């Protein structure tokens, strides 16, 4: 399977940007035990077909390609998040987890009719959370009562909930999110509008959400997805996405024990550029400015959430 292929008779979404081939070696040396805590696998479509209800069709991005990137960048482990193009069919995710030989954990997507036996199988493979997607352009909105049923089923396993939403929708979802009894991980800081003031009311609502709910964590990832003015993580740029830095740095410094970071490889649905993942790693010291903060962000926090007591 070559870079950029989409196998299994599927056709890529027109204009799809394939992941960056041949990323640079990061200048920033990751601490031992570092975890890429947000990444995906796509297919391969010939082996793990894309879901009929998907909103996009990507190029394939296999477990082998993900693990090659992990080793190239210097990460020790991955957290693989179920991609929306696979819906609630977690076979590609489970396959990747089993291939990882214990070096990956997973976040699955499940439906309200999931059985205890199915959850036990996912747990055995390495799944430790479920993801709820509230981004309207990516999925059809799932009723909150069905999500409450799912949370009741996964809570006894010690799993957590990952939520993906956009900043403008937080006021309407605030009370529901605050009612989730498990640990909650927010993808990409709730997608703030970085053209606004990081001290302004919109981002302050997100910070208040974290202050009021000590079970809430967040990923300070995807600057390439949030940035408006850049510069981009391409062509050796060592200070990429500076417009995102004040938002992410504030979260890292205020909540150092509840932050995670990941590459988001293979970067689904990017529209204007595809970042060099080596330069994305070089972005990290801009938002976690000390060795202590880097250790917590990249090693201690994901270890505590996904591999407690070394399990």
């Amino acid at each position: 399977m070559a870079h950029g292929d989409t196998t299994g008779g599927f056709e890529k979404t027109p204009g799809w940007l394939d992941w960056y081939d041949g990323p640079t070696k990061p200048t920033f040396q990751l601490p031992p035990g570092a975890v890429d805590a947000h990444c995906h696998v796509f297919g391969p479509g010939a082996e793990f077909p894309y879901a009929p209800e998907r909103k996009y069709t990507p190029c394939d991005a296999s477990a082998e390609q993900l693990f090659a990137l992990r080793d190239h960048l210097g990460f020790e482990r991955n957290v693989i998040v179920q991609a929306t193009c696979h819906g609630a069919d977690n076979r590609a995710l489970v396959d990747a987890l089993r291939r990882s030989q214990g070096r990956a954990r997973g976040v699955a997507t499940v439906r309200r009719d999931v059985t205890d036996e199915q959850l036990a199988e996912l747990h055995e493979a390495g799944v430790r959370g479920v993801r709820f997607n509230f981004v309207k352009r990516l999925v059809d909105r799932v009723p909150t009562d069905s999500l409450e049923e799912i949370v009741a089923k996964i809570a006894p396993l010690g799993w957590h909930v990952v939520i993906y939403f956009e900043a403008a929708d937080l006021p309407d979802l605030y009370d529901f999110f605050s009612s989730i009894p498990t640990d909650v991980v927010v993808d990409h800081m709730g997608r703030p509008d970085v053209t606004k003031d990081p001290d302004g009311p919109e981002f302050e609502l997100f910070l208040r959400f974290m202050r009021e709910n000590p079970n809430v964590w967040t990923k300070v990832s995807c600057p390439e997805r949030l940035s408006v003015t850049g510069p981009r993580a391409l062509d050796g740029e060592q200070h990429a996405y500076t417009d995102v830095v004040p938002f992410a740095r504030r979260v890292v410094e205020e909540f150092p024990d509840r932050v995670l970071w990941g590459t988001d490889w293979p970067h689904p649905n990017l529209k204007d550029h595809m970042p060099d993942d080596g330069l994305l790693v070089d972005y990290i010291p801009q938002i976690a400015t000390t060795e202590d903060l880097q250790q917590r962000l990249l090693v201690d926090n994901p270890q505590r959430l996904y591999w407690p007591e070394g399990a």
Side-chain angles (χ1 to χ4, degrees), residues 129-272:
V130 293
R131 191 188 200 202
F132 297 153
N133 194 325
F134 293 87
V135 178
K136 298 171 187 176
R137 58 192 162 74
L138 294 178
V139 293
D140 297 321
R141 181 67 64 89
V142 179
T144 54
D145 58 343
S146 70
L147 304 186
E148 290 169 349
E149 288 183 38
I150 293 169
V151 171
K153 290 181 178 182
I154 62 106
L157 295 168
W159 292 10
H160 61 273
V161 168
V162 176
I163 52 177
Y164 186 31
F165 62 90
E166 296 181 317
D169 295 321
L170 181 56
D172 291 337
L173 294 165
Y174 194 101
D175 291 341
F176 172 67
F177 289 160
S178 297
S179 73
I180 298 173
T182 65
D183 281 334
V184 175
V185 178
V186 177
D187 279 343
H188 322 320
M189 301 183 290
R191 290 192 63 109
D193 180 348
V194 301
T195 67
K196 296 183 178 180
D197 187 346
D199 297 319
E202 186 174 271
F203 198 56
E204 179 59 32
L205 182 66
F206 175 72
L207 296 173
R208 179 161 70 87
F209 175 58
M210 289 198 68
R211 291 183 195 119
E212 292 182 351
N213 296 281
N215 61 317
V216 173
W217 304 46
T218 193
K219 297 171 190 169
V220 288
S221 47
C222 287
E224 73 281 6
R225 204 172 285 284
L226 303 175
S227 180
V228 176
T229 59
R232 299 169 174 178
L234 291 169
D235 304 319
E237 176 59 58
Q238 289 295 304
H239 299 283
Y241 311 122
T242 54
D243 54 341
V244 184
V245 168
F247 295 84
R249 185 183 292 175
R250 183 167 180 187
V251 174
V252 169
E253 291 177 352
E254 184 167 350
F255 310 102
D257 296 317
R258 289 190 277 145
V259 286
L260 305 164
W261 189 89
T263 58
D264 194 36
W265 187 90
H267 310 286
N269 286 301
L270 286 183
K271 302 302 183 186
D272 61 359

Side-chain angles (χ1 to χ4, degrees), residues 51-84:
E53 70 274 17
R54 69 193 180 278
K55 302 291 187 181
Y56 63 88
T57 304
C59 67
D60 293 341
S62 69
E64 290 83 1
Q65 290 165 325
L66 172 62
F67 298 150
L69 179 70
R70 173 198 67 196
D71 296 343
H72 174 76
L73 297 179
F75 289 99
E76 185 172 307
R77 296 174 173 177
N78 302 99
V79 179
I80 306 172
V81 178
Q82 173 76 347
T84 59

